[in-house]
Amino acid sequence: MGVEMSGNTFGKLFSVTSFGESHGPAVGCVVDGCPPGLALSVSDIQAELDRRRSLIETSLSYRNEPDQVEILSGIFQGRTTGTPIALLIRNQDRRASDFTRIDRVFRPGHGDYSYQAKYGIRDHRGGGRASARETVARVAAGAIARKWLNETYGTVIRGRVSQIGEMVIPLRDWEDATRDNFFLGDRNRVDDVAILLDHFRQSGDSIGCRLEIVADGVLPGWGEPVFDRLDADVAKAMMGINAVRGVEVGDGFAAVGQRGSEHGDEMSPEGFLSNHAGGVLGGISTGQPLVVSVAVKPTPSVHLPRRSVDVAGNPVVLRTRGKRDPCVGIRAVPIAEAMLAVVLMDHALRDRGQNGSVQESRMKAPFFRALA
Amino acid sequence: MGVEMSGNTFGKLFSVTSFGESHGPAVGCVVDGCPPGLALSVSDIQAELDRRRSLIETSLSYRNEPDQVEILSGIFQGRTTGTPIALLIRNQDRRASDFTRIDRVFRPGHGDYSYQAKYGIRDHRGGGRASARETVARVAAGAIARKWLNETYGTVIRGRVSQIGEMVIPLRDWEDATRDNFFLGDRNRVDDVAILLDHFRQSGDSIGCRLEIVADGVLPGWGEPVFDRLDADVAKAMMGINAVRGVEVGDGFAAVGQRGSEHGDEMSPEGFLSNHAGGVLGGISTGQPLVVSVAVKPTPSVHLPRRSVDVAGNPVVLRTRGKRDPCVGIRAVPIAEAMLAVVLMDHALRDRGQNGSVQESRMKAPFFRALA
Amino acid sequence: MGVEMSGNTFGKLFSVTSFGESHGPAVGCVVDGCPPGLALSVSDIQAELDRRRSLIETSLSYRNEPDQVEILSGIFQGRTTGTPIALLIRNQDRRASDFTRIDRVFRPGHGDYSYQAKYGIRDHRGGGRASARETVARVAAGAIARKWLNETYGTVIRGRVSQIGEMVIPLRDWEDATRDNFFLGDRNRVDDVAILLDHFRQSGDSIGCRLEIVADGVLPGWGEPVFDRLDADVAKAMMGINAVRGVEVGDGFAAVGQRGSEHGDEMSPEGFLSNHAGGVLGGISTGQPLVVSVAVKPTPSVHLPRRSVDVAGNPVVLRTRGKRDPCVGIRAVPIAEAMLAVVLMDHALRDRGQNGSVQESRMKAPFFRALA
Amino acid sequence: MGVEMSGNTFGKLFSVTSFGESHGPAVGCVVDGCPPGLALSVSDIQAELDRRRSLIETSLSYRNEPDQVEILSGIFQGRTTGTPIALLIRNQDRRASDFTRIDRVFRPGHGDYSYQAKYGIRDHRGGGRASARETVARVAAGAIARKWLNETYGTVIRGRVSQIGEMVIPLRDWEDATRDNFFLGDRNRVDDVAILLDHFRQSGDSIGCRLEIVADGVLPGWGEPVFDRLDADVAKAMMGINAVRGVEVGDGFAAVGQRGSEHGDEMSPEGFLSNHAGGVLGGISTGQPLVVSVAVKPTPSVHLPRRSVDVAGNPVVLRTRGKRDPCVGIRAVPIAEAMLAVVLMDHALRDRGQNGSVQESRMKAPFFRALA
């Protein structure tokens, strides 16, 4: 749902234009379309950036300073003015020495080869634009969306890791889904996961995971049929996160094995009686919680030998060195939350544009209130 | 990736603007951005429309005429001129009588309630704009994209039903994935599926299914990081199809349980050694087959009694009558193929816009040729 | 301000996608983003189409049937539903015989050569896509915008011919700006103009003219800095009309010779004391009347011999035959009004999207009410 | 032709997203869609920024440091990589003291009132977002477009002041159109203009002017009918520059008084015989020079007393103090050039996207070569 051609803008009315490479001077974004009057400070954004930093990243010596965001525009006397909000995060460590070995080879599972094919040139340092470093910009933008949604509609967006490899982690309590708990949602499983991650760290391999993102307080009526369905834009937002390979809304792939009499959510005067749809029908929100599930592939950089080629087409064997996240998907939790916030805010504003008068009356109708 | 606000346009350079309701005068679309000089006739489009009609639809008395497409513009002496191609398909049967019962109730699993919430008014006849009838327009537009891709790059797009309920159908032969074979890809399983569908038809219930869509002949370099990744736009296109609840690219959710040493596709001078990525790395095509999997929920209209409410909020019990597809996902195969074609053509043209000079040299390099 | 790449869509929230060639099967458009609940019938649109037909067009034998619009979608029980409104106008006369002579030559002052250069193919019949015939679609779309603006905000849009050649026609009364009066705004000058047009008709030549378009009842706050200023989008809309060569807002080019103490509109508690700005400051409407002036070039088709080349590059002499408007700009009045309506509606909705809460309070403030 | 809703992005394929306020931390932009491989350094951009600074600005004590641009992303080893290029220019002087008087009043001729109406809040310091300070971002982006166009197609874009008040300045030599010569294009008139400006400076008043911008080396085939005509996008780009009130392409308003036999440019095997059209027919470039004329209003800030109101609606009298440009339009020359460069580059790339294959053959045809 981005609107310019080269794909670095997401959102139509609330839109985020991202820039920056892993080892260039900075990453950041321009957030356009934010309504005026929202109280916004550096700390609102900084809190989300800190959540994004993985535990491994925090412990790494070469990037041990927190990401400091600077607001360059769009704020006056502590409030948004309706003009673009530019956010800047300097890259603290830009030592290129680590990357001399990868400038002429294509790492398996990375975008090295496809970038080279597309542009005929690539900034190989740390993965350049393809690095997860870029997601700092998304988390920063998402912090604004999250705050506006919460203050305007009471919307709350939460995410967690619901599965790592074969280990399924049922939700115990959303309060447990903190960064220190690997965003698990069950503090009692933290030790299990720590052991599992250590295992992969020591074996030099990595593992995939599944995330669950839920938005409560979504008003009915958000989403634009037919192409810009709310769930379609959510799917795009999630699949656009580095390493994501699958997206589900509501029951997702479980619906393949379900019957219509089971899947279709019945209604009563008090509201819906189930939520197999995950909060979206016909591409438009129903007012029920929006439930999204995401598959994240294992970190492609492993310490095991991997066959590849160099830019001249000669065979090589690669082996990544140094500290690496064995499960890169864990820190995607705040990124997925941020993208969901951006999608929801964009659609809330778009709905107000076309259906502003309906939006008002909608909230006054007793029945919709009951369901919402 | 549509570009206007209300979401009825898909694609940025090759863009499809859809219109029409199930029981209004017509459905259709305006296709903009098609390169000039493509030979295009009604029969090119009609063939795809015929594939889209389900066997049940063909056998139904009330809609037994084929969808006839008319080309209203953009063609001169049998070739595209570069100007918008408007496609019109009249709705043959518009008897509103069948729908008098549903104008004041919300059917479970349908968009009735969410449309009413959003717009405060809805065309309830046959589901109005939310009906799968609208997908005729997408299939018509996809026929153009499919032809252009094939003539320009040799791209071939194929889809099939790979699972119905618990019944998994491995691919035997793409030649078997015809409409008469329920798009199964294994002619030997047609009887099994016919029996299964009869079971659901008789029991009055319905069942979900899984589709597999594959594009061969995708050139490396298509897709725009970071938000408009090729896989992100595919995810949006697929999730934007009626009743789709999940999307996977490559190994999809199976990646949750995979290790990095397994998932990351190794390379050799002869090309990639596997295709876990499904043809996309860093959001950009690699030249390998693009592999997409989609979950379609069971038809929400069932003959069993379902609890719901009317527009005043009173409880009602609904029971759909008449012939219904027990597995609506089967006929989504040509729709998913069409949407994939639109995504690929849009990205091929966008890549040519920004990287036209690279595109040329890319294809001359021996190594990329080997991989492609 | 259109949003897809090939330029046949105008507007972002209220968007019009146009299609059709002069002598193809039809012209028309898809209007997306219209708020639901607007009462809309064929006659609302037909009235504007009839105004667009020039007197000469009406009198011509080969196109003597009125343009009949058909609404294909988006209306239910006489009201808009919020889904796309497709409008279709069949081309009544498509005899290609008249055009056999121009298929291989480039007419001076027409788009023949530039279309051929761009696309390598062109529909030469009647000018194809470059024909003013296409503006039927814009007038049809504008009729919707005009009605919505008037019902929602009381906005009134009027246009007239203020100069033909050297003949300046001051406004006597907007009531006089009817089609029968050549849209002059002074019924006493109709005879003068008729004589002037006869002169050009007989001499085989043509003449340019100037139009004045005014919108009353524009609310303050419409327009998006910095690129999508209200006046910038008006300029694009006007310059995008066939044969328009210049656009002014407010005093326009007269401002070149003005002093700051003269041009800058002073304010008092009762409102602005003048309107040199033409209703826009900083790209945002002030609530004063929006005043636009447009230069239309003389009809390029004249009965005098003109030098040109054929598609092979050989010199030729061309001479148009048959009835022609000697001043094509006259019938651009309803087109310019329509485009202004589309721009205003689009911006009104966009403003509501981002600034919906401000929009409300704005109208309650005594001072803004006085100024508006 | 910007593509997100709030209007801070210009261009669809080559797109510029601008941010920043006059007295905020910085102004800048994100340039997306630039082809990879273009050699680009800070000095390429800095040269244009220096041209933009007016002589009065240079001489002013409070802003006597040059605007220093920093490239934050998108460049690797001195070349563009195809990823977004973020450009940052810090605001050197941000003393708010000068502006305490204008925070509660609306200056005549400025956007103060309309911004307040739209957003309910405004950054009044130096005009905030409405300040011409923002145009630094456009000039920076334009420097990239200018370089790419010149290296790829030999396109040269030049601008000058052709009239100040009643003083018309015919072109003597483009070499004379330097910043030190007030961009006049006639070094012999510099003293006359200096005297005129001194007169207005001393009298405390200001004056409007007219600019002429010409692009040579425009290829035929750029521009997208029907709404995104090349001239329509030029009109939007120019009217979107602060203080511009009118735009002409080719003969512009002079066409009102011309006959068809005079205005329509004849052609011969050697090319066009005149250029009344200004290089655009049917919205598509012809290969002739693109000629644009622009009216800039007088500086609204004058030293003479002006009536206005404060935010509570009380009458006030305002009188600007301190040094001011008496003719603000002079320094708009590099801004208008920059915007023309952005429009042309965007359309060149868009044409390549849809018509890439035609583009190639076009240039090989002897006839088109002769005309181009």
Side-chain angles (χ1 to χ4, degrees), chain A residues 14-203:
Chain A
F14 181 78
S15 67
V16 180
T17 300
S18 157
F19 66 85
E21 279 80 32
S22 173
H23 284 62
V27 296
C29 62
V30 180
V31 176
D32 202 7
C34 185
L38 177 71
L40 190 71
S41 67
V42 162
S43 61
D44 290 321
I45 298 166
Q46 195 64 49
E48 292 298 321
L49 295 188
D50 293 346
R51 283 183 70 228
R52 178 196 159 277
R53 285 175 64 81
S54 69
L55 293 172
I56 181 78
E57 200 175 26
T58 302
S59 73
L60 288 177
S61 57
Y62 71 92
R63 255 183 184 167
N64 54 5
E65 295 174 68
D67 296 316
Q68 294 282 5
V69 66
E70 183 186 7
I71 301 177
L72 296 175
S73 64
I75 308 292
F76 182 61
Q77 298 179 338
R79 293 195 175 268
T80 58
T81 60
T83 62
I85 304 165
L87 303 174
L88 179 71
I89 301 102
R90 295 273 173 188
N91 291 326
Q92 299 291 344
D93 189 306
R94 301 174 52 197
R95 279 176 296 180
S97 58
D98 320 52
F99 303 107
T100 47
R101 291 188 59 258
I102 64 167
D103 61 343
R104 293 188 50 79
V105 298
F106 301 130
R107 293 169 299 163
H110 283 278
D112 299 349
Y113 168 73
S114 51
Y115 267 71
Q116 186 75 37
K118 184 173 189 68
Y119 299 115
I121 179 177
R122 76 192 151 97
D123 181 346
H124 65 267
R125 298 166 301 167
R129 182 79 179 140
S131 164
R133 176 82 193 141
E134 180 273 334
T135 59
V136 172
R138 309 193 199 187
V139 171
I144 300 174
R146 188 188 283 255
K147 191 170 192 206
W148 183 83
L149 283 165
N150 187 260
E151 295 197 356
T152 311
Y153 301 110
T155 311
V156 173
I157 297 169
R158 289 180 288 214
R160 69 183 197 92
V161 177
S162 59
Q163 185 177 348
I164 300 180
E166 303 300 324
M167 186 188 289
V168 176
I169 302 124
L171 178 66
R172 197 192 75 93
D173 188 341
W174 277 112
E175 295 299 313
D176 291 3
T178 67
R179 176 168 166 270
D180 287 343
N181 286 340
F182 302 114
F183 301 109
L184 295 184
D186 184 350
R187 73 178 73 152
N188 301 327
R189 304 298 298 278
V190 171
D191 289 347
D192 295 351
V193 168
I195 289 165
L196 186 69
L197 295 179
D198 265 343
H199 162 73
F200 282 104
R201 203 172 282 121
Q202 282 162 26
S203 69

Side-chain angles (χ1 to χ4, degrees), chain D residues 290-312:
Chain D
L290 183 61
V291 180
V292 183
S293 191
V294 166
V296 191
K297 73 177 186 183
T299 322
S301 296
V302 292
H303 289 195
L304 306 171
R306 304 288 288 155
R307 288 169 292 175
S308 188
V309 293
D310 63 19
V311 292

Side-chain angles (χ1 to χ4, degrees), chain D residues 4 20 42 94 129 162 189 208 211 215 219 239 277 294 309 316 323 338 340 357:
Chain D
E4 40 61 35
V42 161
R94 301 174 52 194
R129 182 81 179 139
S162 59
R189 304 298 298 281
L211 312 182
L219 263 58
M239 196 68 97
V294 166
V309 293
V316 296
K323 288 189 182 174
L340 186 56
S357 50

Side-chain angles (χ1 to χ4, degrees), chain C residues 296-332:
Chain C
V296 192
K297 73 176 184 184
T299 320
S301 296
V302 293
H303 289 196
L304 306 171
R306 304 288 288 156
R307 288 169 291 175
S308 188
V309 294
D310 63 20
V311 292
N314 303 309
V316 296
V317 172
L318 290 173
R319 201 174 184 143
T320 305
R321 294 169 199 283
K323 287 189 184 176
R324 290 290 162 202
D325 264 334
C327 182
V328 76
I330 294 175
R331 68 162 158 166

Side-chain angles (χ1 to χ4, degrees), chain C residues 214-236:
Chain C
V214 178
D216 286 284
V218 172
L219 263 58
W222 295 352
E224 299 293 332
V226 297
F227 295 123
D228 289 2
R229 289 159 191 260
L230 187 60
D231 39 357
D233 277 343
V234 165
K236 171 163 179 165

